[in-house]
Amino acid sequence: MTKIVVIIPAFNEEESIPQVIKDIPKIVDEIIVVSNNSTDNTEINAQKAGATVLLEHKKGYGYACLKGMDYIASFDYTERPDIVVFLDGDYSDYPEELTKIVKPIIEDNVDFVVGARVKELREEGSMTVPQIFGNWLATSLMKLFFRSTFTDLGPFRAIKYEKLLGLKMEDKTYGWTVEMQLKALKQKLSYSEISVNYRNRIGVSKVSGTIKGAIFAGVKILTWIFKYSFK
């Protein structure tokens, strides 16, 4: 049996987190919610919904993901997962689509799968203009420098656990997703994209919802791309 663990970074997602957890398919062995300094009932609600809850007080998406990975690394070797899935806690993704995200890994031995938020499956207003432009720019540069076929930096993604360890992830904030994709390209991992549905999130985005967040995220993404392009 394929063992699957889900990591969900969450900051003040008390309303959405129970719904996210409820919609995750039963094929998942453990759901890990990493509360990234939440000041509401995110932790309580996640625990009530059946998730393992970890606390990461250093603010940053990457910090939260790394905390989840540290927890998995503490498992006995025989208990470690085959696949790790990353999923946002704001209910913008459709957790029930996890089965199609992991399918290429299970059936075709693909190393890494990204859920692509294609235009025809996106709810109106679910991605801001800076997000859409940032995705286009980042994936265009990856295509230019690495002949990549990625079209999105979607947060809903799955990767073989051993391949994830091999990436030696380090970004602590907004560059996490693009770092993973760039390192997968550099290491020549097999990858694919799966078109996924995407809706307006519950609550306000901590990145695209603010000018400062959007600019900082854009700078981080471009920094990673140019760093790896000239290595």
Side-chain angles (χ1 to χ4, degrees):
M1 282 288 288
T2 304
K3 186 176 174 65
I4 303 170
V5 170
V6 175
I7 295 175
I8 306 173
F11 170 62
N12 288 351
E13 309 287 8
E14 63 180 5
E15 289 181 50
S16 56
I17 203 68
Q19 298 181 67
V20 173
I21 294 166
K22 177 177 67 70
D23 288 355
I24 291 174
K26 301 302 180 193
I27 62 168
V28 167
D29 293 87
E30 186 170 5
I31 299 166
I32 302 162
V33 172
V34 185
S35 175
N36 196 203
N37 241 5
S38 294
T39 55
D40 63 0
N41 290 319
T42 295
E43 293 151 22
I44 294 167
N45 293 352
Q47 212 158 21
K48 283 181 179 174
T52 298
V53 177
L54 307 177
L55 307 182
E56 175 50 75
H57 298 298
K58 293 174 185 168
K59 291 291 289 292
Y61 189 87
Y63 272 123
C65 293
L66 288 167
K67 173 70 83 170
M69 287 177 61
D70 285 345
Y71 170 73
I72 295 171
S74 72
F75 292 4
D76 181 81
Y77 188 77
T78 58
E79 295 299 314
R80 291 182 184 177
D82 302 292
I83 299 171
V84 176
V85 175
F86 292 91
L87 172 66
D88 278 355
D90 57 16
Y91 209 49
S92 53
D93 299 305
Y94 286 69
E96 60 269 29
E97 293 190 313
L98 180 144
T99 49
K100 70 179 188 181
I101 293 277
V102 299
K103 187 178 179 182
I105 300 177
I106 296 170
E107 295 188 1
D108 303 319
N109 202 31
V110 170
D111 295 323
F112 175 42
V113 180
V114 174
R117 301 164 292 182
V118 294
K119 186 176 181 181
E120 57 269 25
L121 297 179
R122 284 199 314 258
E123 189 174 286
E124 188 175 348
S126 59
M127 286 181 71
T128 63
V129 171
Q131 271 183 300
I132 294 166
F133 174 74
N135 265 292
W136 171 82
L137 180 60
T139 54
S140 296
L141 290 171
M142 283 195 276
K143 185 176 182 178
L144 177 66
F145 292 128
F146 302 103
R147 297 184 181 176
S148 158
T149 58
F150 287 124
T151 64
D152 192 16
L153 306 177
F156 196 3
R157 49 187 55 207
I159 186 169
K160 291 177 181 175
Y161 179 59
E162 292 304 321
K163 299 297 184 183
L164 176 61
L165 290 181
L167 296 182
K168 298 188 184 332
M169 294 292 293
E170 57 188 284
D171 193 273
K172 310 299 193 300
T173 55
Y174 304 127
W176 174 270
T177 54
V178 73
E179 179 195 0
M180 188 181 291
Q181 282 164 260
L182 286 167
K183 287 184 170 180
L185 291 168
K186 289 287 276 189
Q187 293 187 19
K188 301 194 182 322
L189 300 191
S190 57
Y191 66 91
S192 67
E193 279 192 336
I194 298 292
S195 297
V196 294
N197 289 277
Y198 198 68
R199 63 189 151 212
N200 284 286
R201 57 161 292 143
I202 295 174
V204 178
S205 172
K206 287 75 179 177
V207 180
S208 59
T210 67
I211 302 256
K212 179 185 173 186
I215 292 171
F216 188 44
V219 169
K220 287 287 289 191
I221 288 166
L222 291 175
T223 299
W224 271 108
I225 288 173
F226 287 113
K227 175 182 174 181
Y228 269 82
S229 298
F230 298 106
K231 262 195 170 184

PDB file of all heavy atoms in Angstrom, residues 16-35:
ATOM      1  N   SER A  16     -11.843  27.765   7.419  1.00  0.00           N
ATOM      2  CA  SER A  16     -11.635  26.884   6.268  1.00  0.00           C
ATOM      3  C   SER A  16     -11.013  25.537   6.614  1.00  0.00           C
ATOM      4  O   SER A  16     -11.311  24.531   5.971  1.00  0.00           O
ATOM      5  CB  SER A  16     -10.741  27.586   5.236  1.00  0.00           C
ATOM      6  OG  SER A  16      -9.518  27.992   5.826  1.00  0.00           O
ATOM      7  N   ILE A  17     -10.173  25.497   7.640  1.00  0.00           N
ATOM      8  CA  ILE A  17      -9.374  24.291   7.878  1.00  0.00           C
ATOM      9  C   ILE A  17     -10.212  23.031   8.128  1.00  0.00           C
ATOM     10  O   ILE A  17      -9.865  21.951   7.623  1.00  0.00           O
ATOM     11  CB  ILE A  17      -8.313  24.522   9.000  1.00  0.00           C
ATOM     12  CG1 ILE A  17      -7.152  23.529   8.847  1.00  0.00           C
ATOM     13  CG2 ILE A  17      -8.907  24.466  10.392  1.00  0.00           C
ATOM     14  CD1 ILE A  17      -6.289  23.726   7.647  1.00  0.00           C
ATOM     15  N   PRO A  18     -11.351  23.098   8.858  1.00  0.00           N
ATOM     16  CA  PRO A  18     -12.142  21.867   9.022  1.00  0.00           C
ATOM     17  C   PRO A  18     -12.685  21.342   7.697  1.00  0.00           C
ATOM     18  O   PRO A  18     -12.774  20.126   7.487  1.00  0.00           O
ATOM     19  CB  PRO A  18     -13.281  22.287   9.957  1.00  0.00           C
ATOM     20  CG  PRO A  18     -12.821  23.544  10.618  1.00  0.00           C
ATOM     21  CD  PRO A  18     -11.947  24.220   9.604  1.00  0.00           C
ATOM     22  N   GLN A  19     -13.042  22.261   6.791  1.00  0.00           N
ATOM     23  CA  GLN A  19     -13.576  21.852   5.489  1.00  0.00           C
ATOM     24  C   GLN A  19     -12.482  21.216   4.629  1.00  0.00           C
ATOM     25  O   GLN A  19     -12.731  20.231   3.927  1.00  0.00           O
ATOM     26  CB  GLN A  19     -14.187  23.058   4.773  1.00  0.00           C
ATOM     27  CG  GLN A  19     -15.363  23.660   5.524  1.00  0.00           C
ATOM     28  CD  GLN A  19     -15.962  24.848   4.783  1.00  0.00           C
ATOM     29  OE1 GLN A  19     -16.543  24.694   3.714  1.00  0.00           O
ATOM     30  NE2 GLN A  19     -15.831  26.040   5.350  1.00  0.00           N
ATOM     31  N   VAL A  20     -11.281  21.799   4.683  1.00  0.00           N
ATOM     32  CA  VAL A  20     -10.154  21.233   3.935  1.00  0.00           C
ATOM     33  C   VAL A  20      -9.897  19.797   4.395  1.00  0.00           C
ATOM     34  O   VAL A  20      -9.802  18.865   3.581  1.00  0.00           O
ATOM     35  CB  VAL A  20      -8.875  22.086   4.128  1.00  0.00           C
ATOM     36  CG1 VAL A  20      -7.669  21.399   3.492  1.00  0.00           C
ATOM     37  CG2 VAL A  20      -9.066  23.477   3.531  1.00  0.00           C
ATOM     38  N   ILE A  21      -9.814  19.611   5.705  1.00  0.00           N
ATOM     39  CA  ILE A  21      -9.520  18.288   6.267  1.00  0.00           C
ATOM     40  C   ILE A  21     -10.630  17.295   5.925  1.00  0.00           C
ATOM     41  O   ILE A  21     -10.357  16.147   5.542  1.00  0.00           O
ATOM     42  CB  ILE A  21      -9.319  18.397   7.793  1.00  0.00           C
ATOM     43  CG1 ILE A  21      -8.055  19.214   8.087  1.00  0.00           C
ATOM     44  CG2 ILE A  21      -9.228  17.018   8.447  1.00  0.00           C
ATOM     45  CD1 ILE A  21      -7.913  19.672   9.530  1.00  0.00           C
ATOM     46  N   LYS A  22     -11.873  17.730   6.031  1.00  0.00           N
ATOM     47  CA  LYS A  22     -13.017  16.847   5.755  1.00  0.00           C
ATOM     48  C   LYS A  22     -13.011  16.335   4.324  1.00  0.00           C
ATOM     49  O   LYS A  22     -13.393  15.183   4.061  1.00  0.00           O
ATOM     50  CB  LYS A  22     -14.323  17.618   6.023  1.00  0.00           C
ATOM     51  CG  LYS A  22     -15.598  16.843   5.714  1.00  0.00           C
ATOM     52  CD  LYS A  22     -16.839  17.639   6.076  1.00  0.00           C
ATOM     53  CE  LYS A  22     -17.033  18.864   5.219  1.00  0.00           C
ATOM     54  NZ  LYS A  22     -17.415  18.538   3.803  1.00  0.00           N
ATOM     55  N   ASP A  23     -12.555  17.163   3.376  1.00  0.00           N
ATOM     56  CA  ASP A  23     -12.613  16.801   1.955  1.00  0.00           C
ATOM     57  C   ASP A  23     -11.401  16.010   1.464  1.00  0.00           C
ATOM     58  O   ASP A  23     -11.355  15.588   0.308  1.00  0.00           O
ATOM     59  CB  ASP A  23     -12.769  18.063   1.088  1.00  0.00           C
ATOM     60  CG  ASP A  23     -14.158  18.677   1.207  1.00  0.00           C
ATOM     61  OD1 ASP A  23     -15.018  18.077   1.885  1.00  0.00           O
ATOM     62  OD2 ASP A  23     -14.377  19.773   0.635  1.00  0.00           O
ATOM     63  N   ILE A  24     -10.408  15.817   2.316  1.00  0.00           N
ATOM     64  CA  ILE A  24      -9.232  15.045   1.907  1.00  0.00           C
ATOM     65  C   ILE A  24      -9.614  13.563   1.831  1.00  0.00           C
ATOM     66  O   ILE A  24     -10.185  13.017   2.775  1.00  0.00           O
ATOM     67  CB  ILE A  24      -8.064  15.260   2.889  1.00  0.00           C
ATOM     68  CG1 ILE A  24      -7.540  16.701   2.757  1.00  0.00           C
ATOM     69  CG2 ILE A  24      -6.941  14.256   2.638  1.00  0.00           C
ATOM     70  CD1 ILE A  24      -6.476  17.080   3.762  1.00  0.00           C
ATOM     71  N   PRO A  25      -9.322  12.896   0.718  1.00  0.00           N
ATOM     72  CA  PRO A  25      -9.710  11.483   0.545  1.00  0.00           C
ATOM     73  C   PRO A  25      -9.131  10.565   1.616  1.00  0.00           C
ATOM     74  O   PRO A  25      -8.067  10.835   2.182  1.00  0.00           O
ATOM     75  CB  PRO A  25      -9.158  11.129  -0.842  1.00  0.00           C
ATOM     76  CG  PRO A  25      -9.020  12.430  -1.551  1.00  0.00           C
ATOM     77  CD  PRO A  25      -8.667  13.431  -0.495  1.00  0.00           C
ATOM     78  N   LYS A  26      -9.834   9.485   1.863  1.00  0.00           N
ATOM     79  CA  LYS A  26      -9.463   8.546   2.933  1.00  0.00           C
ATOM     80  C   LYS A  26      -8.187   7.753   2.624  1.00  0.00           C
ATOM     81  O   LYS A  26      -7.672   7.063   3.495  1.00  0.00           O
ATOM     82  CB  LYS A  26     -10.615   7.554   3.185  1.00  0.00           C
ATOM     83  CG  LYS A  26     -11.922   8.219   3.593  1.00  0.00           C
ATOM     84  CD  LYS A  26     -11.768   9.053   4.852  1.00  0.00           C
ATOM     85  CE  LYS A  26     -13.081   9.720   5.242  1.00  0.00           C
ATOM     86  NZ  LYS A  26     -12.895  10.761   6.271  1.00  0.00           N
ATOM     87  N   ILE A  27      -7.674   7.863   1.392  1.00  0.00           N
ATOM     88  CA  ILE A  27      -6.434   7.143   1.064  1.00  0.00           C
ATOM     89  C   ILE A  27      -5.225   7.735   1.788  1.00  0.00           C
ATOM     90  O   ILE A  27      -4.160   7.138   1.814  1.00  0.00           O
ATOM     91  CB  ILE A  27      -6.159   7.126  -0.463  1.00  0.00           C
ATOM     92  CG1 ILE A  27      -5.980   8.552  -1.006  1.00  0.00           C
ATOM     93  CG2 ILE A  27      -7.246   6.372  -1.202  1.00  0.00           C
ATOM     94  CD1 ILE A  27      -5.434   8.604  -2.417  1.00  0.00           C
ATOM     95  N   VAL A  28      -5.400   8.932   2.377  1.00  0.00           N
ATOM     96  CA  VAL A  28      -4.313   9.606   3.078  1.00  0.00           C
ATOM     97  C   VAL A  28      -4.139   9.005   4.471  1.00  0.00           C
ATOM     98  O   VAL A  28      -5.111   8.785   5.192  1.00  0.00           O
ATOM     99  CB  VAL A  28      -4.601  11.124   3.177  1.00  0.00           C
ATOM    100  CG1 VAL A  28      -3.662  11.807   4.165  1.00  0.00           C
ATOM    101  CG2 VAL A  28      -4.481  11.767   1.798  1.00  0.00           C
ATOM    102  N   ASP A  29      -2.890   8.756   4.845  1.00  0.00           N
ATOM    103  CA  ASP A  29      -2.584   8.126   6.138  1.00  0.00           C
ATOM    104  C   ASP A  29      -2.544   9.126   7.284  1.00  0.00           C
ATOM    105  O   ASP A  29      -2.931   8.809   8.406  1.00  0.00           O
ATOM    106  CB  ASP A  29      -1.244   7.387   6.050  1.00  0.00           C
ATOM    107  CG  ASP A  29      -1.323   6.197   5.109  1.00  0.00           C
ATOM    108  OD1 ASP A  29      -1.112   6.387   3.896  1.00  0.00           O
ATOM    109  OD2 ASP A  29      -1.625   5.100   5.577  1.00  0.00           O
ATOM    110  N   GLU A  30      -2.033  10.320   7.022  1.00  0.00           N
ATOM    111  CA  GLU A  30      -1.971  11.329   8.082  1.00  0.00           C
ATOM    112  C   GLU A  30      -2.040  12.722   7.471  1.00  0.00           C
ATOM    113  O   GLU A  30      -1.445  12.990   6.434  1.00  0.00           O
ATOM    114  CB  GLU A  30      -0.689  11.182   8.911  1.00  0.00           C
ATOM    115  CG  GLU A  30      -0.639  12.116  10.108  1.00  0.00           C
ATOM    116  CD  GLU A  30       0.495  11.824  11.086  1.00  0.00           C
ATOM    117  OE1 GLU A  30       1.328  10.938  10.777  1.00  0.00           O
ATOM    118  OE2 GLU A  30       0.553  12.460  12.147  1.00  0.00           O
ATOM    119  N   ILE A  31      -2.781  13.597   8.153  1.00  0.00           N
ATOM    120  CA  ILE A  31      -2.897  14.999   7.747  1.00  0.00           C
ATOM    121  C   ILE A  31      -2.189  15.836   8.804  1.00  0.00           C
ATOM    122  O   ILE A  31      -2.526  15.780   9.995  1.00  0.00           O
ATOM    123  CB  ILE A  31      -4.371  15.432   7.642  1.00  0.00           C
ATOM    124  CG1 ILE A  31      -5.101  14.582   6.594  1.00  0.00           C
ATOM    125  CG2 ILE A  31      -4.471  16.920   7.291  1.00  0.00           C
ATOM    126  CD1 ILE A  31      -6.615  14.701   6.641  1.00  0.00           C
ATOM    127  N   ILE A  32      -1.191  16.601   8.371  1.00  0.00           N
ATOM    128  CA  ILE A  32      -0.411  17.434   9.286  1.00  0.00           C
ATOM    129  C   ILE A  32      -0.731  18.896   8.997  1.00  0.00           C
ATOM    130  O   ILE A  32      -0.483  19.389   7.897  1.00  0.00           O
ATOM    131  CB  ILE A  32       1.101  17.200   9.084  1.00  0.00           C
ATOM    132  CG1 ILE A  32       1.462  15.717   9.286  1.00  0.00           C
ATOM    133  CG2 ILE A  32       1.916  18.090  10.015  1.00  0.00           C
ATOM    134  CD1 ILE A  32       2.807  15.339   8.695  1.00  0.00           C
ATOM    135  N   VAL A  33      -1.305  19.576   9.970  1.00  0.00           N
ATOM    136  CA  VAL A  33      -1.557  21.008   9.850  1.00  0.00           C
ATOM    137  C   VAL A  33      -0.487  21.731  10.653  1.00  0.00           C
ATOM    138  O   VAL A  33      -0.318  21.472  11.848  1.00  0.00           O
ATOM    139  CB  VAL A  33      -2.966  21.389  10.362  1.00  0.00           C
ATOM    140  CG1 VAL A  33      -3.132  22.910  10.406  1.00  0.00           C
ATOM    141  CG2 VAL A  33      -4.037  20.778   9.462  1.00  0.00           C
ATOM    142  N   VAL A  34       0.247  22.618   9.995  1.00  0.00           N
ATOM    143  CA  VAL A  34       1.282  23.393  10.675  1.00  0.00           C
ATOM    144  C   VAL A  34       0.766  24.812  10.863  1.00  0.00           C
ATOM    145  O   VAL A  34       0.637  25.572   9.910  1.00  0.00           O
ATOM    146  CB  VAL A  34       2.603  23.408   9.884  1.00  0.00           C
ATOM    147  CG1 VAL A  34       3.686  24.121  10.697  1.00  0.00           C
ATOM    148  CG2 VAL A  34       3.046  21.997   9.533  1.00  0.00           C
ATOM    149  N   SER A  35       0.435  25.142  12.094  1.00  0.00           N
ATOM    150  CA  SER A  35      -0.056  26.480  12.407  1.00  0.00           C
ATOM    151  C   SER A  35       1.114  27.444  12.470  1.00  0.00           C
ATOM    152  O   SER A  35       2.009  27.297  13.300  1.00  0.00           O
ATOM    153  CB  SER A  35      -0.802  26.463  13.746  1.00  0.00           C
ATOM    154  OG  SER A  35      -1.189  27.779  14.103  1.00  0.00           O
TER     155      SER A  35
END
